[in-house]
Amino acid sequence: MIPTNSTQEQPLQKRYNALLADGYDDDPVQRQALTYLAELQPQLAQQQRTPPKGLYLWGPVGRGKTFLMDLFCDSLREDFGNDCTLRLHFHRFMALIHQQLQENSGQEDPLLFVAQGLAQRYRVLCFDEFLVAEIGDAMLLGRLIRHLFSLGVSLVCTSNRPPEELYRGDIHRDRFEPTVQLLRQHLNVVAMEGEKDHRLRSLTHSAAYFVGDHSPLHDLFAPHNDAQLNRDEDILVCNRPISCIAATEQVAWFDFQALCEGPRSHLDYIDLAKRFHTLFLSNVPLLGGKQFERIKARGTEDGAVGSQTTGERQVMVGRSDDPARRFIALVDELYDRRVNLFLNAATSLDSLYQGDLLAFEFQRTISRLTEMASLEYQQAPHQP
């Protein structure tokens, strides 16, 4: 049920209506979600032990989930100050939690200590692209959000999947069910499944994705040659060397193999997105491909060395699914930080991923790369 709205227009709705007046495309699906956010905002100003019910927005790419969450965060900060909310891409939030757990490992219950620290600073946490891949993170997340809810913190999340499909791992799915129920209890779950893809709205095309030919990348990089610091040298990313074709202080050029074929993780891409406002990427190959059966140790992640003793399982993967997964993570981080990306690939964007395992996730990558090839995106300020 949509919460009833007062006759007085809420600050968040005023912001949305101002955008409509400037030509933004009105969308009834967005208005429905906006009603929940508009009702939540004044409730957050009230001091209460039980947190007001948050919001879980899910649906296909381009429906405006991130747009609405950012509009909500901006409105909150204007009304209550910059420290009322923490807004992070979910990958970055989990990286922050793991870092704080390590720093507070001497505490009796380090996860509770971390949750208390968050609750002392923020009334609401906002997660963009909520998705859990590993059972370890799934179990940690369940305990963490239980602590946060008990401490009076509300959540606002966006995801491409409903809560029941939030954990995409294929082992111990039953162990995540209590977390799903917890989310259902404390968050209004709103599906945004409208027909409009707002990322494709009236964008002014500015080429950023090239098939086969390297010369456009050389031409686009040429204005940065005067400020060039190194060429064909390694640069340190997360204190590890990565081969780099060329780099300045704010622009870097890599081969796909260097960024996505080796033991890389989203932490590397977080670092890159902070440091550089423009990235060039050469030789993106066909991704996915014919599937084959592989034994994967439970509990391992991309880039881990050695095997675990917790048992093994058979999984069906494409021959380029691991690089594809890293490529998806790279584009996510660059998009979230408004980093410009220029690349050349083996085939057209719609044909780039030819597997099954990551086909759903790759639709988000296609949508984001389409928007990144626009003047509207390329002229937006970097957000390090």
Side-chain angles (χ1 to χ4, degrees):
M1 180 183 296
I2 301 176
T4 57
N5 193 13
S6 64
T7 56
Q8 183 179 6
E9 191 177 45
Q10 299 280 13
L12 187 59
Q13 291 168 323
K14 288 182 180 179
R15 284 173 169 263
Y16 188 79
N17 289 336
L19 291 172
L20 295 181
D22 286 339
Y24 184 78
D25 194 10
D26 196 3
D27 187 340
V29 174
Q30 288 188 5
R31 280 195 174 275
Q32 179 191 32
L34 189 76
T35 306
Y36 284 97
L37 292 169
E39 292 290 330
L40 174 60
Q41 184 166 338
Q43 294 176 31
L44 291 169
Q46 304 170 11
Q47 296 296 325
Q48 48 191 340
R49 180 170 179 80
T50 302
K53 212 165 187 181
L55 190 62
Y56 185 107
L57 298 175
W58 73 274
V61 297
R63 269 50 184 181
K65 303 181 296 295
T66 300
F67 162 73
L68 291 180
M69 188 176 73
D70 287 343
L71 201 67
F72 173 68
C73 289
D74 290 343
S75 185
L76 278 182
R77 289 163 181 158
E78 183 176 295
D79 283 359
F80 308 132
N82 289 333
D83 291 337
C84 65
T85 181
L86 176 66
R87 187 273 193 216
L88 288 175
H89 190 282
F90 186 66
H91 277 165
R92 280 204 293 278
F93 177 74
M94 291 307 296
L96 172 68
I97 295 304
H98 283 293
Q99 177 186 348
Q100 292 193 356
L101 285 175
Q102 186 174 7
E103 293 172 354
N104 296 285
S105 58
Q107 298 290 329
E108 182 177 351
D109 185 347
L111 194 59
L112 175 59
F113 187 81
V114 170
Q116 289 171 334
L118 291 170
Q120 288 171 4
R121 292 194 60 185
Y122 307 110
R123 296 300 312 276
V124 59
L125 301 181
C126 297
F127 302 150
D128 194 26
E129 302 294 350
F130 201 8
L131 190 64
V132 186
E134 296 291 333
I135 186 59
D137 279 350
M139 301 310 297
L140 184 151
L141 180 67
R143 292 172 52 215
L144 176 64
I145 63 174
R146 189 175 297 277
H147 286 321
L148 291 172
F149 288 146
S150 70
L151 292 166
V153 177
S154 297
L155 298 183
V156 172
C157 313
T158 74
S159 180
N160 296 132
R161 298 174 181 267
E164 290 75 16
E165 299 176 21
L166 183 60
Y167 169 52
R168 65 180 184 181
D170 56 359
I171 59 170
H172 301 313
R173 296 186 63 86
D174 58 314
R175 296 187 184 180
F176 194 66
E177 182 59 28
T179 303
V180 173
Q181 297 303 319
L182 195 64
L183 293 172
R184 286 276 182 186
Q185 178 184 349
H186 289 271
L187 279 69
N188 289 306
V189 178
V190 177
M192 296 182 64
E193 298 181 289
E195 296 299 321
K196 292 183 180 180
D197 186 341
H198 288 269
R199 287 193 186 140
L200 304 181
R201 68 194 184 282
S202 303
L203 295 175
T204 307
H205 180 70
S206 179
Y209 184 102
F210 306 96
V211 178
D213 189 6
H214 287 78
S215 58
L217 296 188
H218 288 278
D219 294 341
L220 288 165
F221 191 84
H224 305 290
N225 282 331
D226 291 343
Q228 190 168 313
L229 297 179
N230 54 34
R231 181 179 287 273
D232 296 325
E233 296 180 9
D234 291 348
I235 65 171
L236 290 180
V237 178
C238 288
N239 295 317
R240 294 184 298 170
I242 295 183
S243 177
C244 183
I245 295 172
T248 72
E249 288 187 352
Q250 296 184 312
V251 179
W253 188 349
F254 298 93
D255 189 85
F256 180 88
Q257 183 176 15
L259 279 193
C260 300
E261 294 278 2
R264 303 289 167 220
S265 77
H266 63 275
L267 296 177
D268 298 295
Y269 307 142
I270 290 172
D271 190 10
L272 288 170
K274 285 181 180 179
R275 291 167 56 184
F276 300 104
H277 65 62
T278 301
L279 253 64
F280 291 76
L281 189 63
S282 293
N283 301 315
V284 180
L286 290 174
L287 301 172
K290 184 177 179 181
Q291 289 190 324
F292 67 98
E293 193 171 61
R294 184 181 74 179
I295 296 176
K296 183 176 181 181
R298 292 176 183 169
T300 61
E301 297 185 13
D302 288 343
V305 178
S307 61
Q308 306 292 322
T309 58
T310 54
E312 295 177 334
R313 68 188 191 278
Q314 301 286 336
V315 294
M316 296 300 297
V317 298
R319 295 193 180 277
S320 297
D321 273 335
D322 282 343
R325 186 177 288 108
R326 298 186 191 105
F327 181 65
I328 291 170
L330 172 65
V331 172
D332 281 347
E333 292 299 333
L334 299 184
Y335 180 87
D336 202 51
R337 294 289 191 187
R338 290 301 183 264
V339 176
N340 288 328
L341 175 63
F342 300 96
L343 59 88
N344 80 300
T347 188
S348 65
L349 180 55
D350 288 340
S351 304
L352 188 60
Y353 183 75
Q354 301 185 349
D356 296 320
L357 184 66
L358 302 174
F360 182 89
E361 288 85 349
F362 206 78
Q363 289 304 307
R364 181 176 75 248
T365 303
I366 291 174
S367 178
R368 290 189 162 178
L369 287 174
T370 300
E371 183 176 351
M372 293 166 91
S374 71
L375 284 178
E376 288 79 4
Y377 178 91
Q378 293 168 11
Q379 293 174 355
H382 182 214
Q383 298 180 6

